[in-house]
Amino acid sequence: MPTFDQIVSIVKESCLQSPPSVDESSTPHAVRIEKEDLLGVAKNLLQNPATYFDMLSCVTGIDNGTDAGTMEVVYNIYSIPYNHHLMIRVVLPREKPEIESVSSIWRTADWHEREIFDMYGINFLNHPDLRRSLMPADWEGHPLRKDYKHQEYYRDIKVEY
């Protein structure tokens, strides 16, 4: 089983923008990378026989608020043969949050990314079918954003909260 330091070294090999930052206090341990490095890092972590992160357990969005001016996408990946977990964090600008889809690497990302798009408005570039999955297609806004404004009416029906 690879150590966390060995995994970080493998992540560093794939980072072209800047070296990853590390958070060993989180569970699982995390690396923070630039969005431009995501696909290279993901492919390397899956294809490298030393890591073989063959399972995307979860992808989630985080709204850091208007004061921070950022949002995040967090990927929890798992290596079945090595029984090892890793968290990958990517910070995005709040004004135009977009990132490449990892659905070509891990198919389970498909619906996770659709939910994040629907709830947070983060755009996943090159996603095979990016559309709302929880809210109606013509819903205004993204309900989990901290600056979300509730609609008073939806299709001429008063929305009660």
Side-chain angles (χ1 to χ4, degrees):
M1 181 165 99
T3 67
F4 181 65
D5 289 337
Q6 291 169 326
I7 293 169
V8 171
S9 293
I10 291 167
V11 170
K12 282 181 184 177
E13 293 171 6
S14 305
C15 288
L16 303 175
Q17 297 299 313
S18 61
S21 61
V22 174
D23 181 1
E24 292 187 55
S25 66
S26 69
T27 304
H29 293 339
V31 292
R32 182 168 294 183
I33 62 173
E34 298 295 323
K35 70 178 187 174
E36 296 83 6
D37 289 327
L38 177 63
L39 288 183
V41 168
K43 284 178 188 173
N44 195 10
L45 288 173
L46 170 64
Q47 295 171 353
N48 191 317
T51 55
Y52 192 60
F53 280 98
D54 54 335
M55 183 175 160
L56 176 67
S57 305
C58 181
V59 183
T60 193
I62 299 172
D63 183 348
N64 293 323
T66 54
D67 290 344
T70 61
M71 301 183 88
E72 292 183 51
V73 180
V74 179
Y75 303 84
N76 287 289
I77 58 176
Y78 178 66
S79 171
I80 294 172
Y82 295 118
N83 188 28
H84 201 77
H85 297 266
L86 178 68
M87 182 188 307
I88 301 172
R89 300 181 74 138
V90 182
V91 177
L92 304 173
R94 183 179 187 77
E95 291 307 312
K96 190 176 179 187
E98 61 183 22
I99 190 167
E100 286 290 330
S101 171
V102 295
S103 61
S104 64
I105 298 166
W106 297 293
R107 284 294 296 153
T108 54
D110 187 334
W111 282 84
H112 291 278
E113 291 174 349
R114 284 182 64 186
E115 288 181 14
I116 295 165
F117 166 73
D118 197 359
M119 296 289 106
Y120 292 96
I122 296 172
N123 187 28
F124 290 88
L125 305 171
N126 299 308
H127 187 280
D129 187 22
L130 192 62
R131 59 189 163 102
R132 289 195 180 256
S133 58
L134 300 172
M135 304 301 290
D138 59 346
W139 192 263
E140 295 174 15
H142 304 280
L144 292 182
R145 286 183 69 121
K146 292 183 177 177
D147 59 354
Y148 176 68
K149 304 287 188 239
H150 294 284
Q151 293 179 223
E152 286 189 49
Y153 288 89
Y154 175 70
R155 296 188 179 180
D156 297 327
I157 300 171
K158 184 157 178 66
V159 178
E160 300 288 338
Y161 294 98

